[in-house]
Amino acid sequence: MKKMGFGMMRLPLTDKNDLKSVDLKQINEMVDKYMQAGFNYFDTAYPYHDGASEVALRKAVVERYPRDSFVIADKLPLFLITENEQLEPIFQEQLERCGVEYFDYYLLHNVSAFSEAGFVGVNSFEFALEKKKEGKIKHLGFSTHANAEYIENIIKEHPELEFIQLQINYLDWENDAIESKKCYEVARKYDLPILIMEPLKGGFLVNIPEEAEKLMKEYNDEEPVTWALKYVSSLDGVFMVLNGVSNIEQMEQNIQIMDNLEEITDEEIEIISKVVGIINSQITVPCTKCNYCLSSCPKNINIPKLFDWYNNEKIENNEEFTAVGNAYRNYSKIENNSIASDCIACGLCVKECPQHIDIPEVMKDVKKTFEKPLYGFTKE
Ligand code: SF4
Ligand code: SF4
């Protein structure tokens, strides 16, 4: 099996304000390119695109290719589950949405302290194991954004788990909140095959600061995205790297890179550690645009969108009028769009955030950064 998985969490949209409006025509093209290049691993989940990702998978893959020509990974949404009675209907709905009789890979989605209501007192692990015995699941594993200690306990308590999905990329490798390296080491200690998610940190590692990109380009003229994918693909024990591609161009670029990937060298790792230093000195908020926080906000603030603009503004790092600041101003004028100053600091979003971002605290600085006279706001 080739190592690039098609992550279907950030699919192209026909209406950028409607997560469910997935662009099936473009997705079909992406799937065709991907399959023609010899890849066949599709990753979806119950909440992606409010359910439209699983349906898109059915339409673009299941209804267009023989079942034995691809593999599907889906996930049990622990964070939506509070009682045993929900398990069977959700699983059946997933099979139906995807149009399949079984899942090749099935994961308990984000096993962590925040999703415990879904598996402490609820038999989610037992349920999934039962489905495996019935042949509805071929391989059972879990994804997680928890820390290394928590993960080790889960692995010890659940020897039935066959693989693990972890957030690993060069920027998070030594990050104290994410603990990529420590989590990776735990997985290796228990010999669990590793699926990597967020190898580009939600696209963040595609557009790195100019100074960092220069270091890479001067060394071998390869794009930052190639460096990031090479880094994770070179780790031992990794059986799949999920790339959350969002359009046909990204798909073509990723295929080209993954088809020609070489092992990372020691010299390249040294350059990456310098790049990490540069990014860390400039990055402001490590949001991966996973959208998990969106539904929790009583003020309907599009948190990842504001954070994306904020990071861009900080990287540009000047006091002049910028395109991003202009976008923020225009956005604020549209009826029903909430902005940073609408945040009431309730903290409901924080417990949803796998990156452990103190969202209300950052919102204060987003407000300070954009809501100023330079961008047409009257009060700072
Ligand atoms: S803290 Fe702010 S951004 Fe977070 S949920 Fe509350 S109002 Fe929304
Ligand atoms: S703030 Fe956190 S939960 Fe929200 S999109 Fe960013 S990383 Fe995801």
Side-chain angles (χ1 to χ4, degrees), residues 167 198 285-294 302-305 307 349-357 359:
Q167 172 168 326
E198 304 291 8
V285 52
C287 170
T288 59
K289 303 180 202 146
C290 67
N291 291 338
Y292 290 163
C293 56
L294 279 186
N302 190 327
I303 299 164
K305 184 195 276 288
F307 283 0
C349 50
V350 178
K351 65 180 173 49
E352 305 297 333
C353 179
Q355 309 305 321
H356 311 282
I357 298 167
I359 296 171

Side-chain angles (χ1 to χ4, degrees), residues 75-79 107-116 118-120 124-125 141-147 150-155 157-158 161 163-166 197:
K75 312 185 188 80
L76 186 68
L78 296 175
F79 33 83
L107 300 88
L108 292 125
H109 198 167
N110 194 11
V111 177
S112 70
F114 298 138
S115 57
E116 280 179 358
F119 63 92
V120 175
S124 292
F125 283 90
F142 72 117
S143 70
T144 179
H145 290 280
N147 64 23
Y150 192 95
I151 291 174
E152 182 154 16
N153 287 332
I154 292 289
I155 296 174
E157 282 168 25
H158 294 283
L161 297 169
F163 65 98
I164 183 169
Q165 181 168 314
L166 290 172
M197 59 179 154

Side-chain angles (χ1 to χ4, degrees), residues 203-267:
F204 199 85
L205 299 181
V206 178
N207 295 312
I208 58 175
E210 212 178 306
E211 189 189 346
E213 185 169 345
K214 199 163 155 237
L215 275 183
M216 291 175 161
K217 289 265 179 73
E218 275 174 3
Y219 182 74
N220 63 8
D221 205 30
E222 283 176 353
E223 295 294 329
V225 57
T226 307
W227 284 73
L229 293 175
K230 191 192 273 191
Y231 184 86
V232 294
S233 303
S234 298
L235 292 167
D236 288 337
V238 171
F239 78 98
M240 193 59 61
V241 177
L242 295 180
N243 295 16
V245 279
S246 299
N247 55 48
I248 190 79
E249 292 78 24
Q250 282 177 14
M251 177 58 86
E252 284 166 350
Q253 184 194 36
N254 277 267
I255 288 172
Q256 163 77 10
I257 293 170
M258 294 302 280
D259 258 348
N260 297 293
L261 219 51
E262 288 172 3
E263 284 279 304
I264 199 148
T265 64
D266 290 346
E267 271 185 29

Side-chain angles (χ1 to χ4, degrees), residues 296-299 301 303 343-349 359-360 363:
S296 64
C297 179
K299 305 302 282 184
I301 299 174
I303 299 164
C343 173
I344 52 170
C346 65
L348 291 172
C349 50
I359 296 171
M363 276 300 166

